[in-house]
Amino acid sequence: MLLTDRQVLILQVIVDDFIRTAQPVGSRSLSKKEEILFSSATIRNEMADLEELGFIEKTHTSSGRVPSEKGYRYYVDHLLLPQKLNRSEIQTVRSIFAEQIYELEKIVQKSARILSELTSYTSIVLGPTVNENKLKKLQIIPLNQDTAIAIIVTDTGHVENRTFHFPASVDPGDVEKMVNILNERLSGIPLVDLNTRIYKEVASILRQHIKSYDVLMGSLSETLSIPASEKVFFGGKTNMLNQPEFNDIDKIRNLMTMIEQEDGISQIIRKNPKGINVKIGRENNNSAMDDCSLITATYSIGDEQLGTIAVLGPTRMEYSRVISLLDFISADLSKVLTNLYQNK
Amino acid sequence: MLLTDRQVLILQVIVDDFIRTAQPVGSRSLSKKEEILFSSATIRNEMADLEELGFIEKTHTSSGRVPSEKGYRYYVDHLLLPQKLNRSEIQTVRSIFAEQIYELEKIVQKSARILSELTSYTSIVLGPTVNENKLKKLQIIPLNQDTAIAIIVTDTGHVENRTFHFPASVDPGDVEKMVNILNERLSGIPLVDLNTRIYKEVASILRQHIKSYDVLMGSLSETLSIPASEKVFFGGKTNMLNQPEFNDIDKIRNLMTMIEQEDGISQIIRKNPKGINVKIGRENNNSAMDDCSLITATYSIGDEQLGTIAVLGPTRMEYSRVISLLDFISADLSKVLTNLYQNK
DNA sequence: TTTAGCACTCGTTAGGTGAGAGTGCTAACA
DNA sequence: TGTTAGCACTCTCACCTAACGAGTGCTAAA
């Protein structure tokens, strides 16, 4: 089932051409390309073979050929030439980090916007998994007799806040004491571990010093055990509407609805392992994305993987360019973030 | 130019029918309605008059009639019978407030979702204008030598946070002292007034106690003068895709793009005065909304207007039901919020 | 004033035609 | 044996036409 060099060449040209024009590619128009040195009849024979092998398809009996998912897969796995970004693209990406920003989320959000502008596809960026961030400071601010806000600040400058209730009988002094103890003992602990740490190591100390220990800890622990919201940022949500393959209302409806309820897509993205990943069409296991490809790249601080940055486009996507861009942005992002947060 | 009773009746039936079916209404089908006691020929004559007066239109020379914007306007201004909400609708609305929530934003967000589910249109809720909220507590959390997060908590449980930079030379003790003084003096002041208050009343005290007064105040004041982000919440963004009038890709593109860049729509909504307002089609002054109507209602705490809750639907919208719903929700919302925050 | 009747208009649908692009197959060629 | 020219065939698309139906405006009678 190995492809001959000529078949590979033809497949390559078909995919490139279709990506550019969104039109089925015929043997005659192929034979006119300068890199093709044989006749349309020969091409027809090769195309028939490629079709039998499942790399290309016809939209109807006498149409030109269109890459199949298998064809795209082969193209992505074997035929991709990494594309060099041009000066203006590099500059645009760098502008993400130009302003002096400290908040991780803002940087990530801006990345999503820039990425969608550069590709004219939809970009999706999963914010850092806040749960892994380390506690910088915990504060509790009473709002009235039985309500207070717990504010959790992480080492990445993320601020998470939650309102919680407790009996009015609790002594405000106790709360303050508790917060002090917690900060002393829990600074630097990942948010996800806070609760276990409290019970394992801090509980006994607290019990000694705090009168209304039971009640307070009940409320607080419940509050802390809510996982931090994983933020998802989008860029160019409506860009897909401009792709010629989405001139069908039903497809748009499905896709937009899928994008709008952020959970589904963010889970699909989160499944992808470290590095760059390409999922083509039905490989995404989501019927609304049957005509879409998703390219993901992870970013990190030091060795710790933080989040994922992704581009959603039609299967007829400019894989080469998008991969180069994602590669570049995720590397830059990791570099900047590592500088910012690594040694602190 | 006064309409006869019969003309009014016919207009009413046409609008009602068109809202229900989205199909142009012909004289024959009208004559079959039980409330219509005269022949189709009579109706044709009346329709011709109504058309001449601009209340209804034909889509082509021999089509049935469709309400014009002027027709909808008349309908909304004179023919609307307030509709009683049924038990299950009331229950659904009340469920917004069922859980014990303190954070204003969460309540508002949930309202948007429920509203879009009940109407199957798109709902937009402008969050409370945070700038008017009063300062409950200000905290400054240093992240490293030259960066810190300012956390502002308002009396409505809203938490606003901003990262800012300052020279490494600043004494941490100074920062703490400053925060204490600021909290003592500024508690209860609306956010928007913080800066002026600081300079007017607190500056002299600070200058006495804080060594690096100038530098610190420079950074902080800059940080505080950024207006708090006015949050906009959407519900059912894609609901419009299900409306038969939006089976045109271009219309969808325009509308979705407009919705997606939240600024435009939130400004249009913000312009509306207190109470319930209906803007029909081009009255919205936005070409993407030419086929849409926007109904807004304001909500408040006590006498203080807080935000706006709105429904965006096709001009062929169920005005009566939506208005009743908005009326009910905004009243309930105001009631609950007033109870929660008024006397504190 | 109301209504029945009728000619007319226009949109929609179905069927038909021709052009164009592309294919598969066959047979000749190098 | 691989390559190519030629040709019949297929399918889409754009365009036209005819028939149908829903609806109108007008006229004349009740």
Side-chain angles (χ1 to χ4, degrees), chain A residues 100-103 106 136-137 139 141-144 146-147 149 151 153-159 161-163 165 237-238 241-242 246-249 252-253 256-257 260 340 344, chain B residues 100-103 106 136-137 139 141-144 146-147 149 151 153-159 161-163 165 237-238 241-242 246-249 252-253 256-257 260 340 344:
Chain A
Q100 214 191 359
I101 321 180
Y102 191 85
E103 277 161 275
K106 292 228 169 106
K136 184 87 190 182
K137 191 105 185 186
Q139 305 249 281
I141 308 214
L143 285 172
N144 54 40
D146 64 350
T147 317
I149 303 189
I151 297 179
V153 182
T154 73
D155 57 344
T156 57
H158 174 85
V159 178
N161 65 283
R162 285 164 203 164
T163 311
H165 298 266
K237 269 186 190 174
T238 57
L241 297 179
N242 298 316
F246 287 91
N247 49 11
D248 172 6
I249 293 274
I252 291 186
R253 218 198 318 270
M256 281 293 155
T257 309
E260 215 45 63
L340 258 179
K344 306 202 170 143
Chain B
Q100 213 189 1
I101 322 180
Y102 191 86
E103 277 161 276
K106 293 230 170 105
K136 184 88 191 180
K137 191 103 183 186
Q139 304 249 282
I141 311 231
L143 285 173
N144 54 39
D146 64 350
T147 317
I149 302 188
I151 297 179
V153 182
T154 72
D155 57 343
T156 56
H158 175 86
V159 177
N161 65 284
R162 285 164 203 165
T163 311
H165 298 266
K237 269 186 189 174
T238 56
L241 297 179
N242 298 316
F246 287 91
N247 49 11
D248 173 5
I249 293 273
I252 290 186
R253 217 198 319 269
M256 281 292 154
T257 309
E260 217 44 65
L340 258 179
K344 310 207 166 139

